[in-house]
Amino acid sequence: MLAMLSTRPFVRRCAGASVLALALLGAGLPAAAADRPQPDLSRFYRQRLAWAACPGPDMPEDLECAKVTVPLDYARPDAGTLDLALARYRATGPSHGSIVLNFGGPGGAGIPALATDGRQFMDLTDGYDVVTFDPRGVGRSSPVSCGEGGVTVPAVPRQDPGAGQPQALLRQLRQVAEECARNSGPVLPHIGTVNASRDLDVIRQALGDKKLDYLGFSYGSRLGAVYAAQFPDQVGRLALDGVDTLTESSAEQGLAGAEGQQQALDDFLDWCTTDIGCPFGEDRRRAGDEVLRLVRSLDRDPVPTEFGASFTGQDLVGALAQGLYSKRTWPPLERALASLVEDGDTRRLLGFASSGIGLPQVRSGADRTGLSREPDRTDRPGASRARHHEDGGLVDAADVPVDNLPAALMAINCADDPDRPDAARLTEKMRTLRAAYDHASPVFGGYRLTQLLLCYGRPQGTDFIRERVKDVRTAKMLLVGTRGDPATPYRWTVETARRLGSSAVVLDNKGEGHTGYSSSMCVHHTVNDFLLYGTLPAGGGSCPADAPAAVGPEDAG
């Protein structure tokens, strides 16, 4: 599950880098104009859902699926529609309605996540139907894509780029944006959290609930906060775990991510070098250098994969980013790295690299699990509809593009980001930006900087989140912040709670990893008590770090 990935704290701040990031990328759009009368959406709010068994051989028998129809463009509801895929586990006891889950990303499809990890939420079926959905542009809901085989983006030059090189990089980034637009269909201009939040309210009504009860992880906290700002009177019990920032620029978020991932890598190497099987040896000082040397070596000379593509240093960085999100994944990550170092075998690392969020560098023939896909899939009937989605209908799960997750991540983050420095500004600051990101992390800096630059060439995003998601007047919301979270630093939880106002209550989880619900029994029970019974500890309360768990069979590689 995307939201259940993670580990360590945001520790080292680069003050100069943050100032640079703000100066370069911090200029947003002016505040939104006063609200205007909304078009008639009554036909969407009159829907009733028809639940049935979920299609597909691997779906649990007790998981039910349905669809809900929403406007493609809320400003012009007659200009087209989209179907969104829903799934639920029915309440086992007296039902108070539905609890809606978002597992994060952005770009994570809810239905396969609930089908795979639904057991974590079975306690909630004591009082709720447990519901999730594939947001617009994601999974079966008009999935976006950047084309067959994905798009390869060049790394930002490590040294002084020299004359002409930044311009060449920016030209390629613009080509990426154009390729994604060609392959994503009409949903792409209408993707993003503001529209996903409006979809969430249509879902609430279709479920028959007067208020939205909601559990959102990581990016799902951004979606929940936006909903609270747009629909304060419809907020029921909202719990947000792994809380996203509402105010920091994308550049600052990238720096925070690079620093958090570097700290997680340092912690992993502290652990790995105590094991005789560590592929980087038992000398902790040398181990960090060996990781960086391996990344750079693979960037210069990628190794082939069994799928016919190449495995680069940036693919390795993406695999590390996913494998470091939780201590539970450290043993299989160590074995995967050993397979690469000792045998040149990339198969285990491909499972990490292709299972999470990264750049749109999709290996031909590999799906999100790293397993081979049928080579003639694009020739099957309906494949073109899966790529272009002109009718707005659901696509079959088998026809979701292999690069949907990273393509959707990029599209949603860019749609939520009002910052678009022009080519001249980026060219002027490219060397300084690279230095700032390399200072934040020599391993992850370039990777995170390239993610930042992927919004270049796309339309400017909304300023709604930065300007208007604040001082909400809602029922109490529970925000869970984990002290050792490498992806969403604890300080973001505190800052977001302060920004949302007195309705937001912080649960201080003193453990490690990205989000607390799946890794801390204390967090799990506190969140469930709030959602099921409305009970909150005084001041939000705190949870101690859990004792380290022994590695079990599920950790086998």
Side-chain angles (χ1 to χ4, degrees):
M1 293 167 61
L2 295 176
M4 303 309 171
L5 309 173
S6 294
T7 21
R8 268 299 279 190
F10 174 87
V11 176
R12 300 182 303 274
R13 290 294 295 166
C14 304
S18 297
V19 171
L20 164 70
L22 283 171
L24 175 60
L25 299 176
L29 295 172
D35 290 343
R36 297 180 177 86
Q38 293 296 320
D40 182 12
L41 301 174
S42 58
R43 67 186 177 104
F44 299 100
Y45 277 88
R46 288 196 299 265
Q47 295 177 81
R48 289 295 178 263
L49 302 176
W51 295 98
C54 291
D58 299 325
M59 286 292 175
E61 291 184 1
D62 55 343
L63 187 67
E64 298 178 335
C65 284
K67 69 177 182 179
V68 66
T69 302
V70 297
L72 175 66
D73 181 353
Y74 277 91
R76 299 184 302 135
D78 295 328
T81 62
L82 299 171
D83 290 337
L84 305 181
L86 308 178
R88 74 173 179 183
Y89 286 108
R90 294 291 301 273
T92 56
S95 177
H96 306 307
S98 302
I99 180 86
V100 179
L101 310 182
N102 181 279
F103 297 102
I111 294 174
L114 186 61
T116 301
D117 289 305
R119 65 186 181 279
Q120 296 191 54
F121 307 99
M122 287 301 102
D123 290 350
L124 293 173
T125 61
D126 289 346
Y128 289 106
D129 294 343
V130 175
V131 178
T132 192
F133 65 108
D134 291 356
R136 58 172 61 207
V138 174
R140 298 184 61 209
S141 304
S142 297
V144 296
S145 172
C146 290
E148 294 297 330
V151 178
T152 299
V153 180
V156 179
R158 184 171 300 279
Q159 304 300 329
D160 187 348
Q165 288 192 17
Q167 291 86 345
L169 173 63
L170 295 179
R171 281 196 299 272
Q172 189 139 0
L173 289 167
R174 187 175 291 280
Q175 291 171 2
V176 169
E178 293 170 353
E179 189 73 10
C180 295
R182 277 194 296 271
N183 285 277
S184 292
V187 70
L188 188 62
H190 306 288
I191 206 166
T193 304
V194 172
N195 279 328
S197 170
R198 302 195 71 171
D199 295 342
L200 193 53
D201 198 56
V202 174
I203 292 170
R204 173 197 60 77
Q205 182 71 18
L207 291 169
D209 295 334
K210 292 182 179 180
K211 304 277 187 178
L212 176 71
D213 296 316
Y214 175 84
L215 174 56
F217 299 98
S218 194
Y219 162 78
S221 71
R222 188 197 311 173
L223 177 59
V226 170
Y227 184 88
Q230 287 184 308
F231 303 100
D233 294 337
Q234 276 70 55
V235 170
R237 297 170 184 169
L238 262 66
L240 312 179
D241 186 3
V243 181
D244 205 351
T245 179
L246 300 175
T247 57
E248 289 193 359
S249 69
S250 294
E252 287 187 305
Q253 292 178 51
L255 286 169
E259 290 176 339
Q261 288 171 326
Q262 184 64 47
Q263 182 63 54
L265 176 60
D266 291 344
D267 292 344
F268 169 76
L269 293 176
D270 288 344
W271 169 84
C272 182
T273 51
T274 64
D275 180 8
I276 193 172
C278 183
F280 304 114
E282 297 177 63
D283 184 330
R284 175 61 184 88
R285 289 188 177 184
R286 292 188 59 186
D289 294 336
E290 290 298 320
V291 172
L292 187 57
R293 187 176 299 113
L294 179 60
V295 169
R296 292 177 177 175
S297 172
L298 288 170
D299 276 335
R300 290 192 303 270
D301 186 19
V303 298
T305 72
E306 64 178 347
F307 305 120
S310 295
F311 188 85
T312 70
Q314 296 312 297
D315 292 323
L316 173 59
V317 173
L320 287 171
Q322 295 309 310
L324 293 172
Y325 267 138
S326 170
K327 284 187 174 181
R328 291 186 62 198
T329 60
W330 285 6
L333 178 63
E334 179 189 37
R335 291 189 286 274
L337 289 165
S339 293
L340 173 67
V341 172
E342 296 167 8
D343 303 318
D345 186 346
T346 63
R347 286 175 295 179
R348 287 180 170 181
L349 280 171
L350 280 173
F352 287 103
S354 58
S355 67
I357 313 270
L359 303 179
Q361 295 173 287
V362 178
R363 288 147 292 282
S364 176
D367 68 9
R368 287 184 58 209
T369 64
L371 302 177
S372 60
R373 300 185 73 163
E374 299 146 27
D376 61 344
R377 174 156 290 173
T378 56
D379 297 327
R380 294 169 52 194
S384 62
R385 193 190 77 154
R387 289 195 299 269
H388 298 294
H389 334 294
E390 299 294 343
D391 62 358
L394 298 182
V395 306
D396 292 338
D399 289 327
V400 176
V402 295
D403 74 324
N404 175 238
L405 190 151
L409 169 117
M410 185 166 54
I412 295 167
N413 279 341
C414 294
D416 288 356
D417 178 22
D419 300 328
R420 289 295 186 277
D422 60 21
R425 185 69 168 158
L426 281 174
T427 300
E428 176 189 355
K429 294 296 183 181
M430 191 72 74
R431 183 183 182 187
T432 314
L433 270 174
R434 180 66 205 237
Y437 272 73
D438 277 346
H439 181 69
S441 169
V443 173
F444 297 100
Y447 185 81
R448 297 306 295 252
L449 177 55
T450 305
Q451 286 183 315
L452 168 68
L453 295 176
L454 282 168
C455 288
Y456 180 77
R458 290 176 179 257
Q460 196 162 11
T462 180
D463 66 348
F464 182 91
I465 298 173
R466 284 192 206 164
E467 297 293 333
R468 301 183 63 185
V469 183
K470 59 184 177 181
D471 302 322
V472 299
R473 297 182 180 275
T474 68
K476 290 291 185 182
M477 298 179 287
L478 179 62
L479 278 60
V480 181
T482 298
R483 292 282 179 166
D485 191 321
T488 51
Y490 178 79
R491 64 182 179 83
W492 283 359
T493 303
V494 176
E495 292 167 2
T496 297
R498 186 180 303 119
R499 182 173 176 82
L500 292 176
S502 59
S503 298
V505 176
V506 173
L507 174 63
D508 181 358
N509 177 28
K510 300 185 186 302
E512 298 184 4
H514 183 36
T515 73
Y517 189 84
S518 67
S519 59
S520 165
M521 292 303 297
C522 172
V523 171
H524 191 94
H525 291 312
T526 303
V527 169
N528 283 358
D529 286 347
F530 170 64
L531 294 173
L532 288 168
Y533 313 116
T535 58
L536 280 174
S542 65
C543 284
D546 282 1
V551 176
E554 71 275 9
D555 297 311

